[in-house]
Amino acid sequence: MRINIFFKLMLISILSLAANAKELKIVGAWKISGMEPAQSGYIFARTQVAETLMTVDKTGKVIPSLAKSIKVSNDGLTWDITLKQGIKFHDGSKLNAALVVYNLNREVVLTKSVLRKIPLKSIEVKNGKVQINLNSQFSPLPAYLAHYSTIILSKNSFDKNGKVSNIIGTGAYKIKSIKVPSSIKLTKNNHWWNGQANIKDISYLAVPKDEARTLMIKSGESDIAYSILPISAKSLKNNPKLNTTVVAIPRTSMLKVNAASPYLSNTNLREAISLSINRKGIAKALLHNENLAATQMFPVGVNGWHNTSMKQLSYDINKAKALLEKEGWKVGKDGYRYKNGKKLEITLDTYASRSLNHIATAIKAQLKKSGIYLKVIIGDYTEIVNKHKDNTLELGLISRNFSLVPNPLGTLLSDYSKGGATWGAMNWDNPSMFKYLDELKKGGKLDIRDNITELLQNELPTIPVVYSELIVVSNKKLKNFYVDPYELNYFLSEIKW
């Protein structure tokens, strides 16, 4: 009897070890663009290889990570960061203030990471702490220190020129091998300061095509597949071996407008385009969820920024036509509108990600009903970047994440400050917006957020179309699997077989 119990316990132990020994295979859409944090820090942060001074909890609250505490001076210009004690990198070296300062003071970090967007005066060691000195007040600083481009690496991660040659972090997993731009193999860090990961070995493979990721999770070639399209998820939901998780994320697909374009400089014409878009129809047909129709820029889940008190975006084809008539655009024999002999023809650039190419096609058909001819170009997202820079972009359909800096003010400061930005306003200057952003930057009253959202709704420097969901399909043998709606962490250390 005792022998049978002994063998049963032994078998359970062996099976448990075998399960933990099995490599967890992840596929995602995101390539590993390079070793520098500003290029691919999101992969190293999400897979818990490297960590930042601050992070967010599962409610989206910014909390300390490698930092123990962060304090700001009365004038808002000096931030003192105390580090947690006893944290070691994967190579055994210790985390200290001097090393953090070295990481953050590298030229590539100061010029390419989110730190380039703050009014930074200096970063130095002061009384054993990391001290960040600013030229002016900047209340969202802690959220910027949670961004993947500020991950902290061991001194042995850098070559003699200060460039990243290895990723040696402090996280739950360390890198066994890496092949840019396609794959990483990880193994458990047995000396992680925040506990013990459950699964020993993990691999991440970049698979840009949704169809390929879908086939891999269906065939068992992967255990987790991130960013599955709704149409693909529909075919996987009845698979008895798989779980499909759908979470709302703070991301909006929108039309980026060149406000200096001869046509789009006119607010009435921008509103006519907005009124011509049947957002519920697009959301239902393409995303299989009409609740994803954007009524304003910020989705419901972006606390404090979703403004229900203002007039919401709507579909009104008759009002759209009336606005076009008011501006002198008359319908020609071909059904399109003309003014002074010129056809109302606008070029829309987009790329094949998050159903943007299909959404663009739908918008083209809808604008035709108002008499607007939309020429759609589907290329690479870099084309939008390039056309923004050379001022040849007219409309760009993009997808904007409001949580990579886990404070929406970070995105707004980037996108709608003076001069605009690649993923935000283009040739749109509004003194009221600059004033509101500056007040919030200095810790002004939070009701200013309503002023900002109303201004964006009225002026439409960007035109929201649909919100986003993140669809992740996983093997049912996984326990404690969690999908982060802020897309900052895969929480791999919590997963069990």
Side-chain angles (χ1 to χ4, degrees):
M1 179 86 174
R2 286 182 179 176
I3 294 174
N4 286 338
I5 292 171
F6 172 76
F7 278 117
K8 282 181 180 178
L9 290 171
M10 193 176 200
L11 180 60
I12 291 169
S13 177
I14 290 169
L15 290 173
S16 176
L17 286 170
N20 283 316
K22 181 184 174 184
E23 181 182 75
L24 176 69
K25 296 178 181 179
I26 302 169
V27 292
W30 310 280
K31 291 182 180 180
I32 307 155
S33 303
M35 301 293 278
E36 281 291 345
Q39 292 175 308
S40 297
Y42 54 90
I43 293 293
F44 309 129
R46 289 175 184 178
T47 54
Q48 292 181 277
V49 171
E51 297 168 305
T52 47
L53 292 174
M54 305 295 288
T55 187
V56 297
D57 62 17
K58 290 181 179 179
T59 69
K61 181 182 177 183
V62 179
I63 60 171
S65 178
L66 296 179
K68 180 181 179 182
S69 64
I70 183 167
K71 293 182 179 179
V72 61
S73 61
N74 290 334
D75 63 6
L77 299 179
T78 301
W79 296 72
D80 287 317
I81 302 168
T82 302
L83 300 175
K84 289 185 172 80
Q85 296 297 306
I87 294 180
K88 291 183 179 181
F89 291 93
H90 300 151
D91 60 4
S93 61
K94 291 183 179 180
L95 175 74
N96 58 61
L99 185 55
V100 171
V101 169
Y102 173 81
N103 270 266
L104 300 183
N105 266 332
R106 292 191 307 125
E107 184 180 359
V108 67
V109 175
L110 295 176
T111 58
K112 301 292 184 183
S113 80
V114 292
L115 294 188
R116 76 187 188 279
K117 299 174 182 178
I118 69 174
L120 183 64
K121 183 178 181 182
S122 66
I123 305 175
E124 56 191 21
V125 179
K126 198 71 175 282
N127 300 324
K129 300 177 182 179
V130 177
Q131 187 175 92
I132 299 179
N133 300 297
L134 305 177
N135 291 310
S136 59
Q137 293 176 346
F138 195 76
S139 64
L141 177 64
Y144 279 66
L145 298 176
H147 191 266
Y148 63 77
S149 62
T150 66
I151 57 175
I152 305 301
L153 303 175
S154 160
K155 194 63 183 288
N156 290 322
S157 298
F158 309 101
D159 64 20
K160 60 182 181 181
N161 297 315
K163 292 183 178 180
V164 178
S165 55
N166 294 293
I167 300 294
I168 304 172
T170 54
Y173 286 93
K174 53 187 178 181
I175 293 178
K176 286 199 296 186
S177 65
I178 181 168
K179 292 181 181 178
V180 175
S182 59
S183 64
I184 309 175
K185 285 190 175 291
L186 311 172
T187 193
K188 183 167 78 168
N189 172 21
N190 291 317
H191 305 288
W192 187 34
W193 63 274
N194 202 23
Q196 282 284 318
N198 295 306
I199 292 177
K200 182 183 177 185
D201 295 310
I202 294 177
S203 67
Y204 172 85
L205 182 65
V207 182
K209 290 188 176 181
D210 171 77
E211 297 87 347
R213 294 194 302 279
T214 300
L215 286 172
M216 290 180 75
I217 190 70
K218 190 174 182 179
S219 66
E221 291 178 72
S222 68
D223 301 299
I224 303 171
Y226 279 89
S227 195
I228 296 295
L229 291 179
I231 190 68
S232 301
K234 195 174 181 181
S235 69
L236 297 172
K237 279 185 178 177
N238 296 323
N239 191 313
K241 296 181 179 180
L242 302 174
N243 281 326
T244 299
T245 306
V246 182
V247 297
I249 58 177
R251 180 186 283 274
T252 302
S253 296
M254 63 182 77
L255 293 171
K256 172 184 166 66
V257 177
N258 183 351
S261 163
Y263 304 145
L264 301 174
S265 60
N266 186 297
T267 307
N268 280 338
L269 207 144
R270 296 201 293 268
E271 187 179 358
I273 289 173
S274 178
L275 289 165
S276 299
I277 300 173
N278 184 346
R279 295 169 173 84
K280 281 192 175 182
I282 291 174
K284 185 176 182 180
L286 298 178
L287 306 181
H288 302 277
N289 182 356
E290 69 175 32
N291 293 324
L292 294 177
T295 56
Q296 55 180 284
M297 178 175 290
F298 293 105
V300 175
V302 185
N303 295 330
W305 287 94
H306 184 80
N307 185 350
T308 55
S309 64
M310 65 184 180
K311 187 178 180 181
Q312 305 294 292
L313 296 173
S314 62
Y315 172 58
D316 190 334
I317 193 73
N318 292 325
K319 188 176 179 182
K321 289 177 178 178
L323 284 171
L324 292 168
E325 289 287 337
K326 181 180 178 182
E327 293 301 322
W329 292 99
K330 305 297 181 182
V331 178
K333 291 180 181 179
D334 59 358
Y336 292 107
R337 292 187 179 268
Y338 292 82
K339 182 179 179 180
N340 300 326
K342 288 188 177 180
K343 186 177 182 179
L344 183 48
E345 181 176 333
I346 302 170
T347 300
L348 170 66
D349 285 86
T350 192
Y351 45 97
S353 174
R354 300 182 184 272
S355 299
L356 291 178
N357 51 332
H358 302 302
I359 293 170
T361 302
I363 292 174
K364 176 178 180 174
Q366 291 177 355
L367 263 58
K368 183 179 180 181
K369 294 178 182 179
S370 292
I372 302 170
Y373 179 81
L374 201 64
K375 179 183 178 183
V376 175
I377 298 176
I378 299 170
D380 192 82
Y381 74 93
T382 55
E383 286 303 306
I384 291 176
V385 176
N386 295 334
K387 288 186 176 183
H388 174 95
K389 289 178 180 177
D390 65 19
N391 203 35
T392 58
L393 185 74
E394 288 188 294
L395 275 179
L397 181 60
I398 63 172
S399 179
R400 195 67 172 115
N401 189 325
F402 298 114
S403 66
L404 292 180
V405 172
N407 180 336
L409 179 57
T411 303
L412 288 167
L413 286 168
S414 171
D415 290 359
Y416 301 97
S417 291
K418 211 163 192 176
T422 302
W423 299 109
M426 184 175 179
N427 296 313
W428 179 76
D429 288 323
N430 188 293
S432 295
M433 175 62 83
F434 305 152
K435 178 188 173 187
Y436 296 147
L437 290 176
D438 194 53
E439 287 179 27
L440 275 184
K441 202 165 53 174
K442 293 175 181 176
K445 293 181 180 179
L446 294 180
D447 57 10
I448 296 171
R449 296 180 297 193
D450 287 347
N451 296 336
I452 289 174
T453 51
E454 285 178 17
L455 182 56
L456 290 171
Q457 196 87 328
N458 293 331
E459 290 281 323
L460 295 173
T462 50
I463 302 172
V465 180
V466 289
Y467 301 136
S468 294
E469 289 178 326
L470 178 61
I471 302 176
V472 185
V473 180
S474 58
N475 190 319
K476 276 192 175 177
K477 291 181 180 179
L478 297 179
K479 291 174 63 178
N480 300 341
F481 178 62
Y482 174 76
V483 178
D484 177 18
Y486 305 101
E487 299 184 272
L488 297 177
N489 192 339
Y490 288 159
F491 291 96
L492 299 178
S493 59
E494 299 179 5
I495 300 175
K496 294 180 180 180
W497 286 108

